[in-house]
Amino acid sequence: MNHRITISFFIFLISSQLLFAQAPQKGIPRTQDFIKPTHIIQSRNAELDERTGIVRALYNINAGPYNGSPVEIAKQYLLENTNLFGMKTDLSELSTSQLQKNLGVSHVSFFQKINGVPVFRGNVVVNIDKDNFVTFVSSNYKQNIDISTFPALDEKTALQIATEYLKPRGKYISKPTSTLMIYAEDESPKLSYHVSIANENPLGDWEIFIDANNGEVISSEDIARYDNNKVNGTGYVWRMDPLTSSNQTYGTTGYTDGNDADTPQ
């Protein structure tokens, strides 16, 4: 149920440029912040990666009913459909990371790992309704990762490289972190360190990937959003997402993306 409330907040809209081996800059919106990747083909009930043929999302599945716990059901469904999602037949690269339940719907989240090293954005989510039917799957599983997971550099060295690259001159908003991770957003996966630096100068929540073998800066991005204009007004907000609160699945009439158009629901 949505409630009308008075709000006063800063809208964060402008992100920094995605950078490769150049000093951080700000204020230039990236095309990918506003446009869905062109290699994703979308239909009413599915999203398909046309480069690989892998299914990235399935809606209104209604497969089942299954027996077992939500985690067991989610694993069973994925085992039956590994070819659709490009996964290993034994799901050996997936580990259960989270189980949430809202209004009878179970959301089972998995995270992809290679030899215990997490894959950046390699998450898979399976939704199961109260009658044990699988209704929705979203997958960012990365195929065919075959790299060594033994880094030549340690996390402290990676953090030092990232700090020298960013050259922070202001106060740290939070403690910087450095985590070994596989970066597979490009065609060639790389063992890397995911370095997070939140600083006041240059202002931003900086996400920097350092090659764990040669120290190269793979990518640098400020993942914060900015606008200095204060906005006062009224509006409607959801206490939780509209699908969960209404016990609906995406694709049901009134529960699809209307390109900012209102729906009766």
Side-chain angles (χ1 to χ4, degrees):
M1 179 177 181
N2 53 343
H3 296 271
R4 194 175 187 185
I5 61 174
T6 301
I7 53 177
S8 177
F9 58 99
F10 286 93
I11 301 176
F12 299 98
L13 295 174
I14 304 174
S15 76
S16 68
Q17 208 176 6
L18 183 62
L19 304 170
F20 294 89
Q22 62 182 10
Q25 301 179 26
K26 301 184 67 60
I28 305 176
R30 302 171 305 133
T31 301
Q32 59 265 43
D33 287 333
F34 307 103
I35 302 175
K36 179 170 288 191
T38 56
H39 58 269
I40 299 296
I41 302 174
Q42 187 169 6
S43 66
R44 178 178 174 81
N45 295 317
E47 292 183 6
L48 182 73
D49 188 329
E50 65 176 350
R51 301 172 305 177
T52 61
I54 292 177
V55 172
R56 288 303 179 193
L58 287 178
Y59 311 102
N60 300 321
I61 302 171
N62 295 322
Y66 288 88
N67 295 317
S69 68
V71 172
E72 291 170 339
I73 292 172
K75 287 182 177 180
Q76 183 60 38
Y77 180 80
L78 293 177
L79 281 168
E80 294 172 359
N81 296 278
T82 53
N83 59 322
L84 284 179
F85 302 106
M87 300 173 181
K88 287 193 172 183
T89 55
D90 59 358
L91 303 181
S92 57
E93 293 181 352
L94 291 185
S95 62
T96 307
S97 59
Q98 190 175 31
L99 169 63
Q100 293 181 317
K101 291 186 177 182
N102 291 299
L103 298 177
V105 179
S106 298
H107 311 275
V108 183
S109 299
F110 299 91
F111 204 86
Q112 185 179 5
K113 293 183 178 181
I114 309 295
N115 297 328
V117 179
V119 177
F120 179 60
R121 292 178 180 165
N123 57 308
V124 178
V125 179
V126 181
N127 288 2
I128 300 130
D129 68 15
K130 60 183 177 60
D131 297 316
N132 288 346
F133 282 83
V134 174
T135 59
F136 168 80
V137 176
S138 174
S139 174
N140 287 317
Y141 185 91
K142 307 298 193 297
Q143 267 189 315
N144 304 322
I145 297 178
D146 185 17
I147 62 173
S148 170
T149 52
F150 295 96
L153 307 178
D154 61 24
E155 59 185 25
K156 291 183 179 179
T157 301
L159 179 57
Q160 180 181 356
I161 293 172
T163 302
E164 291 175 353
Y165 170 77
L166 186 63
K167 295 180 174 61
R169 298 175 297 280
K171 179 181 178 181
Y172 285 97
I173 300 171
S174 60
K175 184 179 179 180
T177 61
S178 179
T179 306
L180 188 64
M181 194 170 290
I182 295 173
Y183 184 87
E185 298 298 287
D186 300 328
E187 293 184 2
S188 300
K190 294 181 176 66
L191 185 66
S192 67
Y193 284 98
H194 173 273
V195 179
S196 178
I197 300 177
N199 197 271
E200 292 183 350
N201 186 12
L203 178 64
D205 186 3
W206 295 94
E207 185 177 70
I208 304 171
F209 284 89
I210 304 298
D211 191 302
N213 292 310
N214 59 26
E216 175 188 359
V217 177
I218 300 172
S219 75
S220 173
E221 178 185 0
D222 176 12
I223 59 176
R225 301 290 183 266
Y226 303 92
D227 188 4
N228 292 325
N229 298 316
K230 191 174 182 179
V231 178
N232 291 288
T234 59
Y236 291 96
V237 297
W238 288 92
R239 286 184 172 177
M240 61 182 68
D241 68 272
L243 294 181
T244 300
S245 61
S246 59
N247 199 23
Q248 297 291 334
T249 56
Y250 185 87
T252 303
T253 302
Y255 293 91
T256 57
D257 183 5
N259 293 321
D260 294 330
D262 293 336
T263 65
Q265 287 72 17

